[in-house]
Amino acid sequence: MARDGLSNDQVRDLLLRTRRIAVVGASDKPGRPSNGVFNFLLGRGYTAIPVNPALGGRSVHGMQSVASLEDAAPLDMVDVFRRSEDAGAVVDEAIRLGAKSVWLQLGIWDDAAAERARAAGVTIVMDRCPVIEWGPLGLPNRIPAGA
């Protein structure tokens, strides 16, 4: 089992029931992992919102960026591209805004923030990437509408 304590079935179900994802730390630079993951999520049928105040409202793969997580609400999932030491504040904000889940990307974990999320009924994924998980989980090319 992964560091986050979730089984493959739980991660698969999470990705299938999620529709709207705020990507914190999204970049408009093609070489950045957050840019590639953002494009992957759009290509799989998610509504993805880039969250990054440094983008100044510029678009990422045709989606206008927003400066704050609150501007991206309502939230199904918050996908976090921030250092581990900064992730807890994003998790707390996601909890406050009523997100159903938080996904911390590869190399990112915060066990204390994960406990706060779980206590609030928020599913938390840590140290994983949806691009890497997708194929091994047997997920379709696009998420089915209404799944």
Side-chain angles (χ1 to χ4, degrees), residues 91-92 95 102 111-124:
V91 172
D92 292 339
I95 294 167
V102 176
D111 293 325
E115 286 305 313
R116 294 192 301 273
R118 290 182 195 111
V122 175
T123 301
I124 186 155

Side-chain angles (χ1 to χ4, degrees), residues 34-101:
S34 64
N35 182 281
V37 170
F38 187 84
N39 192 41
F40 177 87
L41 294 171
L42 288 174
R44 294 306 175 273
Y46 295 103
T47 300
I49 302 92
V51 179
N52 188 334
L55 290 176
R58 291 189 309 271
S59 72
V60 178
H61 298 291
M63 301 297 292
Q64 183 177 356
S65 66
V66 297
S68 72
L69 198 51
E70 189 165 18
D71 294 333
L75 308 167
D76 286 339
M77 177 186 285
V78 176
D79 188 359
V80 182
F81 282 89
R82 299 290 308 270
R83 294 182 306 225
S84 292
E85 57 267 22
D86 298 328
V90 179
V91 172
D92 292 339
E93 182 76 354
I95 294 167
R96 185 184 73 76
L97 293 170
K100 296 176 183 121
S101 63

Side-chain angles (χ1 to χ4, degrees), residues 80-81 103-109 126-129 132-133:
V80 182
F81 282 89
W103 188 296
L104 303 182
Q105 284 291 327
L106 280 177
I108 305 170
W109 59 84
M126 294 190 293
D127 192 28
R128 298 191 197 207
C129 177
I132 294 169
E133 300 286 331

